[in-house]
Amino acid sequence: MVYVSGLDSAIANNVIKYREENGVFTSRNELLKVEGIDDNIFDQCAGFLKVFSSDNLLDVTRIHPKYYGATFKILKELGCKVDDIFSGNLSFDNLNLKKIS
């Protein structure tokens, strides 16, 4: 059995039902269309659920959607793009946190 924060068995079944009726999820935000997932539950579960068919590469990471803005600022400061996250070569040694806050 696998557990995801915020999802009980009824909501998990609703996720499966939604996917069966609508096809694969195309973004993490689409989870908000599932019966039983409100903003609070979304906040609890979104970082644990990856959406591989999303156009937003951050939906494939464990980065929570509420931190996407900060992630883009950090990447910009580092001179990197989103797909650089997957390279394993990001260095945060020269990151100036004052510039992104």
Side-chain angles (χ1 to χ4, degrees), residues 6 9-10 30 36 67-68 82 84 101:
S9 61
E30 191 176 359
Y67 297 115
Y68 285 1
V82 174
D84 292 330
S101 57

Side-chain angles (χ1 to χ4, degrees), residues 3-37:
Y3 296 96
V4 174
S5 179
L7 300 185
D8 60 19
S9 61
I11 296 173
N13 285 327
N14 290 344
V15 170
I16 293 167
K17 181 180 175 186
Y18 181 92
R19 187 187 63 212
E20 288 172 347
E21 293 174 355
N22 299 285
V24 297
F25 287 85
T26 57
S27 74
R28 276 189 174 144
N29 285 335
E30 191 176 359
L31 290 165
L32 289 165
K33 295 180 180 180
V34 173
E35 183 181 341
I37 297 183

Side-chain angles (χ1 to χ4, degrees), residues 34-98:
V34 173
E35 183 181 341
I37 297 183
D38 59 16
D39 290 338
N40 291 328
I41 291 174
F42 180 80
D43 279 346
Q44 292 176 18
C45 71
F48 297 104
L49 300 173
K50 295 181 179 182
V51 179
F52 292 96
S53 53
S54 177
D55 289 336
N56 184 344
L57 289 177
L58 293 181
D59 283 348
V60 180
T61 70
R62 294 285 183 217
I63 299 169
H64 195 283
K66 67 182 175 185
Y67 297 115
Y68 285 1
T71 301
F72 287 122
K73 287 179 182 179
I74 290 168
L75 289 170
K76 182 179 178 183
E77 177 63 24
L78 293 173
C80 298
K81 295 179 257 176
V82 174
D83 55 347
D84 292 330
I85 291 173
F86 303 98
S87 72
N89 296 321
L90 286 181
S91 172
F92 298 95
D93 293 339
N94 297 320
L95 181 62
N96 183 347
L97 294 175
K98 290 180 182 178

